[in-house]
């Protein structure tokens, strides 16, 4: 896992997002209404990171801080994976995010999943089931950062010996206030 710090890496992430959104649309699966998500990865105001395998970008997300009544947390915004690699990549992102948040001194990781329909109906039911088997807890539904209905998820931060599995060069943030709360 590393920061997307070059124009080439950010452009690659934007292309991965576009590829993922096209893949979802072709299968009749819901996608966010916001059209500029790929552009967010080219904007250096957001802290975007990527998961690489042999220099191939297989997942990307925007890191942010989140503070609410439950306390401060790492917020994963706009998580996207290379089509065809979803479950394994999401599992690696889950492990990394849990460890990274713990190393930052945070107790939780939060994320949102688009949920236009009842949570017990596919395709969201299958997605939530897979995420819950990875350790995520469903904390509720509501209006997300893009003003769309979302399922809110939370993961306990936990130090994990990931060095042999996932290398990380993302700088540690020791306080949520070090992130500029964005609305990507």
């Amino acid at each position: 896992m590393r920061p997307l710090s070059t124009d080439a890496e950010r452009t690659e992430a934007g292309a991965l997002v576009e590829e993922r959104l096209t893949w979802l649309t072709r299968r009749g699966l819901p996608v966010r209404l916001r059209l500029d998500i790929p552009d967010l990865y080219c904007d250096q105001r957001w802290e975007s990171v990527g998961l690489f395998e042999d220099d191939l970008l297989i997942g990307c997300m925007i890191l942010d801080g989140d503070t609410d009544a439950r306390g401060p947390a790492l917020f994963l915004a706009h998580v996207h994976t290379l089509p065809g690699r979803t479950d394994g990549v999401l599992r690696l992102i889950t492990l990394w995010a849990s460890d990274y948040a713990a190393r930052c001194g945070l107790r939780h990781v939060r994320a949102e999943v688009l949920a236009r329909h009842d949570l017990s109906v596919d395709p969201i039911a299958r997605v939530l089931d897979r995420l819950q088997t990875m350790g995520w807890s469903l904390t509720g539904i509501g209006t997300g950062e893009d003003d769309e209905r979302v399922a809110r998820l939370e993961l306990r931060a936990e130090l994990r010996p990931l060095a042999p599995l996932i290398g990380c060069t993302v700088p540690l943030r020791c306080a949520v206030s070090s992130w500029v709360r964005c609305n990507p």
Side-chain angles (χ1 to χ4, degrees), residues 55-102:
D55 287 325
L56 173 67
L57 180 65
I58 58 174
C60 58
M61 71 206 87
I62 295 174
L63 302 183
D64 204 354
D66 185 38
T67 301
D68 63 15
R70 297 169 291 171
L74 172 65
F75 186 80
L76 306 182
H78 302 291
V79 177
H80 293 278
T81 61
L82 190 63
R85 307 282 294 267
T86 303
D87 281 347
V89 174
L90 284 178
R91 188 169 308 284
L92 291 173
I93 289 171
T94 295
L95 291 169
W96 175 83
S98 175
D99 177 70
Y100 181 79

Side-chain angles (χ1 to χ4, degrees), residues 12-134:
E12 185 179 1
L16 182 147
V17 171
E18 287 179 0
E19 185 177 347
R20 182 61 172 184
L21 295 175
T22 299
W23 185 90
L24 291 168
T25 302
R26 285 187 181 145
R27 284 157 182 75
L29 298 170
V31 296
R32 294 193 184 260
L33 298 175
R34 185 175 183 169
L35 299 176
D36 68 340
I37 294 171
D39 296 336
L40 295 174
Y41 285 90
C42 293
D43 188 334
Q44 293 185 14
R45 289 179 297 166
W46 314 131
E47 186 171 359
S48 54
V49 299
L51 180 62
F52 290 82
E53 181 177 76
D54 298 327
D55 287 325
L56 173 67
L57 180 65
I58 58 174
C60 58
M61 71 206 87
I62 295 174
L63 302 183
D64 204 354
D66 185 38
T67 301
D68 63 15
R70 297 169 291 171
L74 172 65
F75 186 80
L76 306 182
H78 302 291
V79 177
H80 293 278
T81 61
L82 190 63
R85 307 282 294 267
T86 303
D87 281 347
V89 174
L90 284 178
R91 188 169 308 284
L92 291 173
I93 289 171
T94 295
L95 291 169
W96 175 83
S98 175
D99 177 70
Y100 181 79
R103 290 187 295 120
C104 288
L106 301 171
R107 296 179 58 197
H108 296 99
V109 180
R110 296 192 184 116
E112 298 175 345
V113 176
L114 189 60
R116 292 208 177 106
H117 305 289
D118 186 279
L119 299 184
S120 64
V121 177
D122 282 339
I124 188 65
R126 283 182 297 179
V127 171
L128 292 175
D129 183 56
R130 283 195 309 263
L131 290 170
Q132 288 172 326
T133 63
M134 293 178 199

